[in-house]
Amino acid sequence: MASRKTRDKTEKAPRGDEERRPRKGASVISWILLGMVVLGLGGYGITNFGGSATTVASVGGTKISVDDYGRAVRNALRAMSAQSGKNITFQEAQKQGLDQQVLQQLVLQAALDDEDSRVGISVGDGRLRQDITAISAFQGADGKFSAQTYKFVLQQNGLKEGEFEAETRKQMARTILQDAVTQGFGTPTTFIDTIMHYVGARRGFEILKLGADDLAQPVPAPTEAQLQAYYKAHPKTYTSLPAKRITYAELLPDQVAKTMKIPEAKLKAYYDQHKSDYVKPERRLVERLVYPAEAAAKAARAKLDAGQATFDQLVKERGLTLSDIDLGDVTADELSSAAAKQVFAAKQGAIVGPVESSVGPALFRVNNIIAAQTTSFDAAKTDIRNELGHQEAKQKIQSQEEHLNDLLAGGATLEQLAKETDMTLGTIDFTAKSATGIAGYEAFRDAARKVTKSDYPSIIQLDDGGIVALRLDKPIPAEVQPFAKVKDKVAEDWTRDQTDKALMALAQTDIKTAQAAGGDLSKAGTVDVQEPITRSGYIDNAPPGLLEDVFMMKKGETKAFQGDESVWIVKLTQVLPPAQNDPDIKKMRDQIAGQGAQGMQNDAFLYFAQAIQAHQGININQSAINAVNAQLQ
């Protein structure tokens, strides 16, 4: 490591064979430092950006060089490309504001560096050496700091020791300043309580459900005049969607597969090749609770046998959850021989062990037994024929695609394709809601939405290996459909509407009956009891907005909710706060507290940084920035 004039003369440079005990978390922190420093100094090779200007900006007396800015932009551009999985040009990144984001970050760092210098915050050589030597990237095969490895890693990243140590020292000083600003912020209890009360509040209520069968007599059949009146009163309901009448020619694997002849020998060969799909050994759904030593495993087993603990409690004692120990379904071959012998001899629900597993002594719980399954060739033959038929059908369709495109390019119509090739013709009135038949294919729907009268048909590939070509015949505007065409639908809608009104009237009568009986809803019919539920809960088939409205009701209040040919009468019986012993509620409270504190810390640091910049002054050299950006094009 490069030395500094201020190094304490009593300190010794670290040796590769030194024993040291790093601070807790030092490895993670140091890795972060290494990453930030490497990115800051240009870990992909240092490039000099020429020109007369040497700085792009300054905060107080701290300058940001053109090289610092250029390298930071390039590194950010590489990171963006790696994240997106494709090469992103500087122009593309600039449209997303990457250059401005980099400049803002550099200005922030410069402001912190200038403030550190002003107030005298610095990191001593001992602390610097402690953190750098704890970075695992600089450790040799023995797990200890290696000066040789240190130099090699820096060389590989195009860094010099002095540069790396200086930038690391700066970053550590920035962290000290940031911690000093953000420490001590916590989320106010009132804030947490308010959110938790809203999110975790519970309501319990009684429900009396009314349906058409509860009416004293069914809704009578509508008269012609009633239907005509309902039809005229709801024109939008009976207005068709705008559509496109489209003619198409299709060639689908399902169609072609029916004509494919697959030899028996080929079917048998496929069966033999995929034998594991048809002959499956016995499997067991298993949980494995591992212990560090056999003595601990035996002690746990003793507690289990004595009834002093359940298996779930043993899991919790190990600081684990059931998902942590779940192995899923396993075969005997996937366990150690000793474990397999006991696990596959046990009954469902049994707990076996301790037994030596591949990761140490363990207890196993057998949750389910999946019997061995064997599907004979004769039983599988039809499915195999369909599978191979579809595979060959796709290949046959693919082999015809170029020829079909040539025919279309030569002026052949879809009708001619259907007549002269294997393609079949069809028509569809395509709307925004079409999703069946040929419109079940996303590629067809996408093409149908875009097609115009001036477009010529071309082959479109479908996701199952099929192909289609289409033509717009004419647009069909939205229009109110003739009464005669929708009369049955009008009758259904009228009957539903009248049923809903009759049920709501019955509900009001039942509510009065309950009120006359002192609020006893059971006097009006059979009542279901809804256990306390939160706003985010779910109730099967509940009328829209029921839960939302229930949380607006007062205790003891009764209200009717309109459903589809049903009415729910709800009486609010319980108004409860969040369940304090619910682990999910506790977890949510901790998350809100943590997120709130983090938000306040971020805000405090942002305002602090802005105050520094405003006090010390920021100077931006836009011409220098433009010059660097021009070289990055």
Side-chain angles (χ1 to χ4, degrees), residues 22 56 61 92 161 169 206-207 272 323 326 328 334 364 399 421 450 452 482 487 505 536 581 602 618:
V56 296
E92 293 172 334
E161 293 178 49
R169 194 185 300 272
E206 296 174 346
I207 306 170
D272 292 338
S323 61
D326 185 18
E334 294 176 292
F364 288 83
S399 68
T421 72
K450 298 176 182 177
T452 66
K487 183 176 179 179
S536 60
N581 295 327
N602 291 341
I618 303 174

Side-chain angles (χ1 to χ4, degrees), residues 119-355:
V119 300
I121 297 177
S122 183
V123 176
D125 291 345
R127 173 67 184 277
L128 176 67
R129 182 171 62 252
Q130 184 180 14
D131 275 57
I132 289 180
T133 55
I135 297 177
S136 58
F138 300 149
Q139 295 172 357
D142 59 356
K144 300 176 182 178
F145 177 80
S146 167
Q148 184 177 359
T149 301
Y150 176 63
K151 293 178 181 179
F152 175 76
V153 171
L154 294 185
Q155 289 174 357
Q156 288 294 104
N157 285 278
L159 302 175
K160 296 179 180 179
E161 293 178 49
E163 292 172 331
F164 177 73
E165 291 165 17
E167 185 61 31
T168 301
R169 194 185 300 272
K170 285 183 181 179
Q171 183 58 49
M172 294 174 69
R174 292 172 198 147
T175 302
I176 292 173
L177 181 60
Q178 181 173 348
D179 288 345
V181 173
T182 60
Q183 288 300 316
F185 284 97
T187 308
T189 302
T190 303
F191 175 82
I192 300 174
D193 289 343
T194 301
I195 294 180
M196 288 307 303
H197 179 74
Y198 182 85
V199 174
R202 297 166 294 154
R203 297 292 186 267
F205 43 92
E206 296 174 346
I207 306 170
L208 174 59
K209 301 175 184 178
L210 302 178
D213 293 342
D214 294 302
L215 295 175
Q217 56 185 11
V219 172
T223 65
E224 186 76 8
Q226 288 173 322
L227 293 181
Q228 288 281 2
Y230 191 86
Y231 169 76
K232 291 177 182 178
H234 301 84
K236 289 185 179 180
T237 303
Y238 306 108
T239 298
S240 63
L241 292 171
K244 293 179 176 180
R245 181 154 296 162
I246 291 173
T247 295
Y248 60 91
E250 65 180 7
L251 187 57
L252 306 179
D254 283 345
Q255 300 167 349
V256 179
K258 295 175 183 178
T259 67
M260 308 302 295
K261 304 296 183 183
I262 312 296
E264 184 87 358
K266 191 169 185 178
L267 299 178
K268 186 64 168 64
Y270 182 92
Y271 178 85
D272 292 338
Q273 185 179 357
H274 299 82
K275 200 68 169 285
S276 60
D277 293 335
Y278 302 105
V279 180
K280 298 180 179 180
E282 180 181 329
R283 290 168 293 154
R284 302 209 165 192
L285 292 174
V286 174
E287 292 166 335
R288 179 183 64 191
L289 181 58
V290 181
Y291 284 87
E294 186 175 0
K298 287 183 176 179
R301 181 75 214 203
K303 289 177 66 176
L304 194 66
D305 292 341
Q308 298 174 349
T310 64
F311 186 80
D312 288 356
Q313 288 171 337
L314 292 178
V315 173
K316 191 173 182 180
E317 287 177 3
R318 295 278 292 132
L320 302 170
T321 65
L322 293 179
S323 61
D324 295 328
I325 66 170
D326 185 18
L327 296 183
D329 59 293
V330 298
T331 63
D333 292 340
E334 294 176 292
L335 300 175
S336 68
S337 57
K341 185 176 181 181
Q342 291 196 33
V343 168
F344 278 79
K347 296 181 179 180
Q348 182 173 326
I351 300 171
V352 300
V355 60

Side-chain angles (χ1 to χ4, degrees), residues 321-587:
T321 65
L322 293 179
S323 61
D324 295 328
I325 66 170
D326 185 18
L327 296 183
D329 59 293
V330 298
T331 63
D333 292 340
E334 294 176 292
L335 300 175
S336 68
S337 57
K341 185 176 181 181
Q342 291 196 33
V343 168
F344 278 79
K347 296 181 179 180
Q348 182 173 326
I351 300 171
V352 300
V355 60
E356 192 64 31
S357 71
S358 58
V359 291
L363 300 178
F364 288 83
R365 179 162 66 179
V366 181
N367 292 318
N368 199 6
I369 298 174
I370 304 174
Q373 297 175 323
T374 300
T375 304
S376 67
F377 170 68
D378 288 337
K381 190 186 299 184
T382 300
D383 288 341
I384 296 175
R385 181 178 286 110
N386 290 337
E387 174 68 22
L388 294 181
H390 273 77
Q391 290 179 9
E392 295 191 10
K394 292 176 184 178
Q395 295 171 3
K396 184 176 181 179
I397 292 172
Q398 186 178 9
S399 68
Q400 297 182 48
E401 186 175 336
E402 184 177 353
H403 173 63
L404 294 170
N405 254 328
D406 289 342
L407 290 176
L408 289 171
T413 65
L414 297 179
E415 288 78 7
Q416 289 171 327
L417 250 62
K419 184 177 180 180
E420 300 172 7
T421 72
D422 294 331
M423 300 189 83
T424 57
L425 201 66
T427 60
I428 181 175
D429 287 347
F430 179 82
T431 72
K433 293 186 176 181
S434 296
T436 59
I438 191 64
Y441 293 96
E442 176 59 35
F444 178 88
R445 294 197 301 273
D446 185 55
R449 284 190 288 263
K450 298 176 182 177
V451 67
T452 66
K453 286 285 288 183
S454 60
D455 292 333
Y456 290 98
S458 61
I459 296 298
I460 300 168
Q461 295 180 346
L462 303 177
D463 56 17
D464 66 350
I467 55 176
V468 68
L470 58 88
R471 177 189 70 224
L472 174 61
D473 295 331
K474 67 175 183 178
I476 303 174
E479 59 182 1
V480 179
Q481 300 175 78
F483 174 76
K485 185 177 180 180
V486 296
K487 183 176 179 179
D488 290 345
K489 179 69 166 58
V490 175
E492 291 176 8
D493 294 344
W494 182 92
T495 301
R496 182 182 299 108
D497 180 66
Q498 293 301 308
T499 300
D500 287 345
K501 290 178 180 178
L503 286 173
M504 185 56 74
L506 176 60
Q508 298 306 322
T509 300
D510 286 346
I511 290 176
K512 292 179 180 178
T513 300
Q515 290 173 341
D520 187 355
L521 193 57
S522 66
K523 294 297 182 181
T526 303
V527 171
D528 295 327
V529 176
Q530 172 61 53
E531 295 298 324
I533 188 173
T534 64
R535 297 174 191 270
S536 60
Y538 173 78
I539 303 175
D540 283 341
N541 303 316
L546 182 143
L547 263 181
E548 181 180 346
D549 284 355
V550 162
F551 275 82
M552 302 295 291
M553 293 168 61
K554 296 179 180 179
K555 186 176 180 180
E557 184 180 353
T558 302
K559 186 175 180 180
F561 294 86
Q562 182 75 66
D564 184 15
E565 292 190 277
S566 68
V567 169
W568 287 23
I569 303 174
V570 173
K571 178 184 178 182
L572 184 61
T573 57
Q574 293 177 288
V575 176
L576 301 173
Q580 298 303 320
N581 295 327
D582 185 340
D584 290 336
I585 291 294
K586 291 181 178 179
K587 183 178 180 181

